[in-house]
Structures are given as structure tokens and as C-alpha cells.
Amino acid sequence: MFRIFCLIAILPAFLTLGFSQPWMVTSPDQKIKVTVTLEDGDLYYSIDKNGEAWINASPIRLNIAEVPVDYTLNSAQTSSHDAVINPVVHEKLAQIRDQYNLLDLQFENNTGLEFRAYDRGVAWRWNAAIAGTITILGEQVTYAFNPSDHVYYPSEESFYSHNERLFPKYELSKLSLDSLASLPALIDQNGHYMHLSESDLYNYPGLWLLGTNSGTLTGTFPMYPVQEKQVRDRDIMVTQAANYLVKTPGTRTFPWRTILMEDRAAGLLTNTLIYQLNRPATGDFSWVQPGKVQWDWWNDLNTYGVDFQSGVNTDTYKHYIDFAAKNGLPYIILDEGWSPTTDVTVSIPEVNVPELAKYGQEKGVGLILWVLWNALDKDLDKAMTEYSKWGIKGIKVDFMQRNDAEMVNYYERIARATAEHHLLLDFHGCYKPTGFRHEFPHAMTREGVRGNEWSKWDNSKQTGPEHNLMLPFTRMVCGPMDYTPGAMLNAQLRDWSPSFSRPMSLGTRCHQLAMYVVFESPLQMLCDVPENYLREQESFAFIKQVPTTWEDTRVLDAAVGDYIVEARLAADGNWYMGAMTDWTARTLDVTLDFLGTGEYSLEYWKDGVNANRMAQDYQMGEMTIRKGDKLQLNLAQGGGFVAVIRKK
């Protein structure tokens, strides 16, 4: 599992806080300073870095029905913490240093406020020690920036959403009071960046944002649902909400409000604070096995060149299992159709799931089953029992589309049930990650992202390279995303058209290959049909060998929404490189300074000479390299580059 080595101690006297204000805490490297003040009964925080204001004085408040809002101080302390976290699933690093200084303010109304200052960001949360059940009437969350600052802002129509959004850039002062957004949001403040999200979200609604026609963003929350209406088999809408967020035990901690702070965009790609801030796992998760998954739904099960009728049936899925077994893929997924949507404990007559599971076990391939969230909840115990009996390896839970407190509790309930039955977990139709996989490592990936499925219908042509180069700096900072890469039919903008059953992707072939390095998902999909991979053996050779988890991550070059070059270390000692660009063709020069001594072979897949015209054009090659060598990457518009580096 993991081990944590901690040092918690009162800081030296010149940093220890008495009862006077302002109260302050600084990051371990002394660059970030958080200041908390009490003015006319209201609490404010501000954040400086290197002597410059990053967040101006911003009011925060927690309203609890059972106690008055009274910030009369009872105690104020600072402490330090230094630990090593060894994640069960190595998403981007085998080890994470968890080092921060803590400011702990306790008030006479039995509530408290904690601020953690890290070298790469700040987080705060409320806590309470009140007897019995309490009612949270509201929480004030404010981020006061400058009106001229910009924000990448995932606008939403309502709280009912898959959270599959674009991240257009706005001047903060242009965001009106009704400009609702889900998280995360990314602030661009004169070339340095603040990523806004949350962590450790349990028994509480998720945080959303509103504009204010100024440089300030404010938080808002879905209220607790009182009445619901089922619109169709998967859509349950809230028709009446309470006047509170949640009723909850009075002794608890509340979610962390996270502000990741980076001087350069590249830093966002290795910032793990959201994961660190969530509570850790307990128990044995050694059974959790990451890997690649052959997906059926994206190409509408249109396998071809076979002697059976393709579709949602046992023969087709046996074919998928054979393909996975032959090519070293540990899982296949049975998406919507294998069962009645309202009863996920039985399969339709055309699909014999127990037989398929046994067939897969004999070939070393596990089955992951798609389920509707509400149908699963209705028969949770029965479903868990049946899946265990059948030998199922995981489930993909879909269409929650809310993050009020009741739905947030649903995620935890499903995670505990699947952990007990050793089932992997993939959430779709869901909100962004909040560090949840730190406690539940088997919940390895989730959607909450506008991914490759949009290539089936997005007439706006916005689910392409521009969007793809926004995601690593925004949504992916929150945690792994089930974007579902791997399209083998690729097109430039002028050639692309939507097709539900024969979809194509925007951008080059190497752009899709690079997603397997750049996009993090320990349970990583292959979206295309088996025959398309078999026809593209050279491209498939890279997909087959690329890992889904990493020991180390190095960002060689990056710019928000424009391009990325990364190198990642695999468990076997090989390095994998991935580069992606937006619709601008680029030449990027990178230095291979992450290598050890001696000679290495570099096998590459790069955009072909004609990739600007024919997106599927690519070239393969191999060269000998050494540490410190410079590599020139010529990326086509919407292009990419991948390489495998092995020690000679």
C-alpha cells in the first residue's frame, strides 16, 4: 500500500502565532505567505508570493444554523508537516513529498479554520466540534483577483451537468453575476497561474463559481435535494431543494478549497496538491491493477471481417476478448446494452455475461461492466454479489450529473461497495476528481471531461487540438480523466465530419498517440474497433507497449492551450515522450537532460511530411541518443510526437 513518514512540530518562535492578528503562515520555502484578518466580525484571507499579491483580501464564512457566526479566537497555532506519500497507483510519480506549514485557528463557537501553505499552493478548510447534527446553511468562498486578470472558465447552464466543458478564456471583469461555472478554473495573472478547485469532498455539495462583474469570483453550491423527478431511465432531476447545503455530524472537517500556484504553466502538470489533501487509503488495495481497456461503444461495435454479425452479443464480445488477450490488454468493457438499463443484475439474452467472464478469465482478460447509477443503487447488494460470482473486474458508473451532498455521498457509497468486492471503478457523467482516489485507489479514473466521445457528434469542431491542449492545465490537474483516446481515423479540420458509428478524430495520428503519454488515466481506453488497430500495426505497436502509470514525470516544455512536451518514466526503466500541439504547426527544441549516462535508443513516431493535408500521415524511425542531446520536434497543425527511449 503506502507508508507515510511525518514530522509535526510547532514552528520556531518567530513563526508561532499568538492571539493577535493578522495571523500568518508561510510556505516551507518562505515564498508564499497567507494572511488572515478579522475585520468587523468578518474573516478575510490574502495570499502573496515573492512579495507580490496573488489574491487580494477575500471574505470567507461558514454559516451553521446551530451556532452563531462568531470568530472570537480561542487559539491560534502553526505547525509543520513533512511526509512521503507512496501512492497505491502511480499516476505520475512513485513518491510524493507532502510538505507544508499549517495555520490552525479555533474559535469560541466550536468551529475552526485551517490554512496549509505549500511551496506550490495554498488550501483552506473549516472544521467543527459541535455535539449532534448540524445544518450548514451556506459557505462563503471568495477569490479576489484583479479586474484585468484572465480566467479559463468552464461555463455551465445549471447544476445539472456532465461537466464536459470547454475552457474559453475571459477577462475576469467580463464575467457577470449569472456566469455559472463548474470547477476547475484557471487564473492567468500576468503569466503566472492559479488553479482553483477542491479536495476531500465528502458529505457536502461540490463547489461551483459565479462571476461578479469585477476581478472577484465567488463560490456557490447546489442546495440539498428535497424532491426529485425521474425524467427518463437515467435522468433524475432535482425539482425542489432545501434552504441548506447539508445536515451533517457536528464534529468533522469540511472540504479543502485548493489554490494551486505556479510561476510557469509547466508546473501545473506535476502539481499533486489535490491528491495530497484528500484523506489516505486504509486497508489492502494490492489487488488494484491498472491497465488498458478495449472499448466497444465509441465505434458502435462495428467490427468487420468476421464470420458473425457484429453488435451487442456474445460472439462480438468473445472477439473483443480474443483481441485483448492476443495483444496484452488486461480488460475489455461492455458498455450500454449488455443489460436492461433499469436492471443491472441480469444480462439480455443476446449477451451471456457469466460465460464471457469465464472465457475472459481463461485468456487473462477481465470484464468491466457499464451501469446506470440509479439502477445500480437500487440493487447495489445484489449487483455486487452477482458481479463477484460472475468474476467481473470492474464497473463503469454513468449519468449521475449532479454533485449536491446526496449525490456526493453516492460516490462514497459505491466506492466502499466496490472496494469490498475488489471491483475497479470508473465514474462517467460525473463531476471533476477531488483527490477521491487517494482514499479509494481502485477508483482509478473518471470522466467529467469533454473527451473523444464528442468526436461522434460535435458539429462545432471544438473537441480537437485546441481543447486537447487546454485539458492538461485545467481538468487533468484535478486527477485522471477518461478522455478515451486511440482513434485510428484522423482528420484535419477541413476533412472532418461527425459520424456516430464510424467516428474520426480531429488532429493527426501522432496527436492521438501522444495522448497515451500526456493524458493521465491508469485505466486507459482504446476507443477504436479492433480491426482498425490490426490494420494500423505500427501505430498499435506503440499503444500496446505504453504504460498507464508512471514512476516520474518531466515537463520539457509547455504553454497553456498551445503545446506540451513531456517525458515519463515507466516501471521497467524506459522513458516515454509525448508532444502535442494545437492547430498551430510548431518546431520545438527539447534537451534530453533527464537521461542517465551512456547510450540510449530512441524509437519515434512523428507527423509525416504531409500530415498538414492528410492527418493519418506519420513516420517511424530510430536513433541513438545521450543525455543532454537536443531533439527537434516538427509538429504538424493539430500534430503530435511520441517516442520510446531504452538504455542500450
Side-chain angles (χ1 to χ4, degrees), residues 547-563:
T548 64
T549 58
W550 307 101
E551 304 300 292
D552 195 7
T553 297
R554 308 289 180 90
V555 183
L556 308 183
D557 201 358
V560 176
D562 295 334
Y563 61 87

Side-chain angles (χ1 to χ4, degrees), residues 201-346:
L201 176 62
Y202 295 90
N203 195 20
Y204 203 83
L207 173 65
W208 298 59
L209 294 175
L210 289 171
T212 60
N213 290 313
S214 68
T216 296
L217 295 175
T218 62
T220 186
F221 299 87
M223 307 302 273
Y224 194 84
V226 174
Q227 291 184 3
E228 299 172 339
K229 179 181 180 180
Q230 184 160 350
V231 178
R232 58 182 184 133
D233 61 352
R234 63 206 62 196
D235 297 325
I236 298 182
M237 314 285 290
V238 176
T239 56
Q240 182 179 345
N243 63 351
Y244 57 85
L245 302 184
V246 66
K247 290 182 181 291
T248 179
T251 299
R252 61 165 294 181
T253 58
F254 293 92
W256 289 103
R257 310 295 164 218
T258 61
I259 306 168
L260 280 52
M261 304 169 63
E262 297 289 351
D263 295 319
R264 297 173 56 250
L268 295 164
L269 306 179
T270 56
N271 195 315
T272 58
L273 291 189
I274 293 173
Y275 177 89
Q276 293 166 236
L277 284 158
N278 200 89
R279 63 196 67 172
T282 58
D284 179 18
F285 284 93
S286 61
W287 54 272
V288 176
Q289 297 297 319
K292 291 188 281 287
V293 187
Q294 177 60 47
W295 191 27
D296 57 342
W297 181 86
W298 193 72
N299 227 300
D300 206 13
L301 291 103
N302 276 319
T303 191
Y304 54 92
V306 294
D307 58 2
F308 56 84
Q309 186 170 353
S310 62
V312 183
N313 57 56
T314 298
D315 286 339
T316 299
Y317 284 121
K318 282 187 174 179
H319 177 66
Y320 273 65
I321 290 170
D322 290 340
F323 170 77
K326 183 177 179 180
N327 293 284
L329 308 178
Y331 306 107
I332 72 162
I333 191 165
L334 278 62
D335 214 289
E336 182 171 2
W338 71 269
S339 74
T341 58
T342 56
D343 186 353
V344 297
T345 67
V346 297

Side-chain angles (χ1 to χ4, degrees), residues 381-397:
D381 292 340
K382 183 180 179 182
M384 294 294 99
T385 300
E386 289 297 300
Y387 298 167
S388 295
K389 183 171 67 176
W390 296 345
I392 301 303
K393 296 300 183 183
I395 60 173
K396 173 181 173 181
V397 187

